[in-house]
Amino acid sequence: MTFRTTRLLPLSALLLLAACGGKDSTAKPAAGAAGAPAGTELTAFQIEHGIGPITEAVKLGPVDKEMAEEGEETFKTKCSACHKMTERYVGPPLGDVTRRRTPAFIMNQILNPEGMYSKHPAVRQLLGEYMTQMPNLALTQEQARQVVEYLRTQAPDKSGS
């Protein structure tokens, strides 16, 4: 195998994976799922909050500083290699992610990146833009929630709600 072939092989595999999509033929389309693109088989909840273990909206109160500190540590060790707050890096900037996505969506992306990439249209669009799939970091739900709390402190107006 030539050097050029070995470099193109991983990219070809990634593009093939993105094109296949992993469509689940047993899922039922949601009746009237608002905002669901034609042909998706996601519920309205899944479109808004993502696909994964978080199946209810996450209620937020004031920022919990202790949780945010724990989340910052997790972010530094697990997320900062690919994400920055205000600039594009390996993955998208996350400084305003709590303005764009619900806490449940963010947690489902952290906890179930494979399912999100295979089925969620917004996440598939990100894969097309960034050409890099987020790995499963094996975080717990508590750690994912702490990361969300930290990200809330990074929102442009710092309220994160």
Side-chain angles (χ1 to χ4, degrees):
M1 213 178 273
T2 67
F3 176 74
R4 184 175 184 181
T5 304
T6 58
R7 284 185 21 201
L8 292 177
L9 196 55
L11 179 59
S12 299
L14 178 64
L15 291 174
L16 181 60
L17 179 63
C20 291
K23 190 173 182 179
D24 180 0
S25 61
T26 62
K28 302 287 186 237
T40 62
E41 297 178 351
L42 302 179
T43 66
F45 179 88
Q46 290 172 322
I47 292 296
E48 184 177 358
H49 300 286
I51 303 159
I54 309 304
T55 57
E56 295 181 5
V58 175
K59 306 285 186 212
L60 298 176
V63 171
D64 180 318
K65 293 188 186 312
E66 188 176 315
M67 281 182 71
E69 288 173 6
E70 292 291 328
E72 181 177 13
E73 288 304 310
T74 300
F75 185 90
K76 285 178 180 177
T77 59
K78 299 282 190 169
C79 311
S80 66
C82 296
H83 294 284
K84 303 301 176 203
M85 291 300 157
T86 60
E87 63 187 85
R88 178 187 176 114
Y89 201 53
V90 175
L94 296 180
D96 67 344
V97 71
T98 59
R99 294 269 165 241
R100 295 180 279 116
R101 303 286 183 215
T102 68
F105 187 101
I106 297 165
M107 290 176 69
N108 278 326
Q109 178 62 40
I110 292 169
L111 299 169
N112 184 33
E114 301 90 351
M116 292 285 278
Y117 280 110
S118 68
K119 296 180 182 175
H120 200 285
V123 179
R124 291 180 62 149
Q125 182 178 355
L126 284 172
L127 177 60
E129 183 179 342
Y130 287 87
M131 300 301 293
T132 302
Q133 182 171 328
M134 181 176 156
N136 189 325
L137 301 171
L139 298 182
T140 65
Q141 285 188 22
E142 180 179 358
Q143 288 172 310
R145 178 62 182 86
Q146 291 167 343
V147 170
V148 167
E149 204 66 7
Y150 167 64
L151 292 172
R152 291 177 66 202
T153 69
Q154 302 302 301
D157 73 354
K158 301 292 185 216
S159 72
S161 54

